[in-house]
Amino acid sequence: MSPGGWTDADRGHMARALELAARGLYTTTPNPRVGCVIVRDGRVVGEGWHERAGAQHAEVAALAHARASGEDVRGATLYVTLEPCSHAGRTPPCADALAAAGVARVVVAMRDPNPLAAHGAARLAAAGVAVEIGLLEAEARSLNPGFVARVTRGRPYVRMKAAASLDGRTALPDGASCWITGESARADGHAWRARACAVLTGIGTVQADNPRMNVRLVETTRQPLRVLVDSRLEVDPGARLFEGEGQVLVACAIEDAGRAQRLEDRGVEVIRLPNERGKVDLPLLMKRLAERAINEVHVEAGFKLNGSLVSAGVVDELLVYLAPMLIGEARGMVHLPALSDLANAQRLVFREATQVGEDIRILARLQ
């Protein structure tokens, strides 16, 4: 089950499987995004992707596509972006379906990190199917950072978004920030909201901007869970955050039945997660979100909460839009303690820098 000297054709078919997997970017939660291509005698005979939880897995969808087209898959090679599952959940094991169909070779991009579903490769090998793993693995992982994070470390993948001037300012001293970036960048930001399972903000942002924090500027099949960090339950029950479709969760640190009831009367769920400083325990909040099958959390908050999240060690990636302007003395992106030595600075790894409209989008992972 080691790489077998992959050809350009192998890479091309797996690249196509990754394209198919990306079609489920906004729909598969809490399941991973998976694509599959079946090739026989150098010709594609079936394709499929996992569309949503409870629906056919990508491999079964590709088999069904081949059969509906009158194609024979016996002796075929199957390319799939995630190791075929070996357990019966909402659907039967994909490994068994592939062996029964007579597929001769299975090329897998990445192993399944979920212990409940793993070992499909071994099951296929035991049935006499040749299995190879690792083709375009990095690309497959990049489609499912949240799923991998949740099943391997018990917390979601957290992406922190900020819109800033070129000198790193996100708002004027009075908190005004509409609009630093242009329309294209704002729409792009909503696309990142749409792929997330939850959008998280803080009470400071709600009080300053009264945002809705939902997906509006791009098409979506669902609204992510909106999460508000509000240690003292100061939010106005009439805030726009609580309007429209989708659920809202408020994490607080105090015990105040009256304030909590006013929110619950609006259909809002309130959970109390205090730490020793009387603030919301942010690592515990992420653990609780993972227990709700939340894969990716998209943060749009102020510089204070941003700093607390980074300091708590729960942020994985920064999504920063830089506008071609200088603001001067104003609020920054992340409030962190002053350093006496640059060796102690939080290090990042740039993943991408792309122009979006007039602005620059930067993706950077925290080390």
Side-chain angles (χ1 to χ4, degrees):
M1 292 190 290
S2 59
W6 292 306
T7 65
D8 289 342
D10 288 330
R11 292 182 177 85
H13 293 312
M14 186 61 81
R16 173 58 179 167
L18 288 164
E19 289 179 3
L20 293 168
R23 294 185 181 182
L25 196 63
Y26 308 120
T27 61
T28 63
T29 297
N31 289 355
R33 299 131 182 167
V34 184
C36 180
V37 173
I38 304 174
V39 178
R40 188 170 186 267
D41 297 328
R43 188 169 57 87
V44 174
V45 297
E47 294 185 337
W49 69 94
H50 181 51
E51 297 183 31
R52 62 185 57 84
Q56 290 178 328
H57 286 189
E59 304 94 314
V60 175
L63 289 173
H65 177 223
R67 294 188 184 111
S69 302
E71 298 286 358
D72 185 357
V73 302
R74 289 175 295 179
T77 294
L78 181 141
Y79 300 85
V80 64
T81 59
L82 183 70
E83 179 182 6
C85 64
S86 62
H87 83 302
R90 296 188 187 182
T91 59
C94 291
D96 292 353
L98 299 182
V103 171
R105 176 183 177 227
V106 173
V107 181
V108 178
M110 63 174 284
R111 289 189 180 276
D112 194 331
N114 185 357
L116 293 176
H119 314 302
R123 199 158 176 162
L124 284 166
V129 179
V131 181
E132 300 168 14
I133 301 174
L135 177 58
L136 302 187
E137 179 177 359
E139 291 83 348
R141 285 186 173 275
S142 70
L143 273 176
N144 291 296
F147 175 75
V148 174
R150 178 171 62 83
V151 301
T152 60
R153 68 188 188 192
R155 70 172 177 85
Y157 190 87
V158 178
R159 183 179 294 110
M160 178 182 291
K161 180 254 184 182
S165 60
L166 196 57
D167 53 347
R169 304 305 179 182
T170 60
L172 298 179
D174 63 0
S177 62
C178 295
W179 296 101
I180 290 177
T181 53
E183 292 183 5
S184 296
R186 295 199 294 275
D188 191 70
H190 275 242
W192 287 93
R193 280 188 191 180
R195 69 170 281 170
C197 309
V199 176
L200 183 146
T201 193
I203 182 61
T205 297
V206 171
Q207 290 176 332
D209 299 336
N210 196 21
R212 284 174 280 182
M213 286 296 169
N214 57 3
V215 179
R216 303 182 306 280
L217 302 184
V218 297
E219 292 186 9
T220 185
T221 58
R222 58 166 176 79
Q223 288 293 340
L225 173 70
R226 281 161 283 170
V227 180
L228 172 64
V229 176
D230 182 9
S231 294
R232 295 187 292 274
L233 284 180
E234 297 173 306
V235 67
D236 181 350
R240 293 201 298 175
L241 183 72
F242 306 127
E243 298 174 356
E245 298 179 359
Q247 298 177 305
V248 183
L249 173 71
V250 175
C252 68
I254 67 168
E255 188 75 55
D256 190 318
R259 293 183 186 181
Q261 188 61 54
R262 285 194 291 272
L263 295 176
E264 290 167 356
D265 288 344
R266 293 216 56 179
V268 177
E269 182 180 358
V270 180
I271 59 173
R272 183 172 174 269
L273 302 172
N275 63 16
E276 66 281 357
R277 300 185 306 279
K279 301 288 187 179
V280 171
D281 188 320
L282 297 173
L284 182 57
L285 172 59
M286 294 306 166
K287 180 180 178 181
R288 293 288 181 263
L289 291 177
E291 291 169 354
R292 296 166 181 251
I294 297 295
N295 288 342
E296 293 183 29
V297 174
H298 178 91
V299 176
E300 292 194 29
F303 70 110
K304 290 183 179 179
L305 180 54
N306 284 350
S308 296
L309 289 163
V310 171
S311 296
V314 298
V315 178
D316 296 290
E317 185 173 65
L318 298 184
L319 170 66
V320 180
Y321 296 88
L322 290 179
M325 67 170 70
L326 301 174
I327 292 178
E329 188 63 32
R331 297 185 182 183
M333 284 187 277
V334 183
H335 179 68
L336 294 171
L339 296 176
S340 58
D341 189 337
L342 280 176
N344 298 324
Q346 173 69 64
R347 296 294 176 178
L348 307 172
V349 176
F350 288 123
R351 289 185 52 222
E352 176 190 308
T354 305
Q355 185 159 355
V356 180
E358 296 181 349
D359 308 305
I360 299 294
R361 182 185 68 203
I362 295 173
L363 278 173
R365 280 214 178 119
L366 278 74
Q367 290 185 317

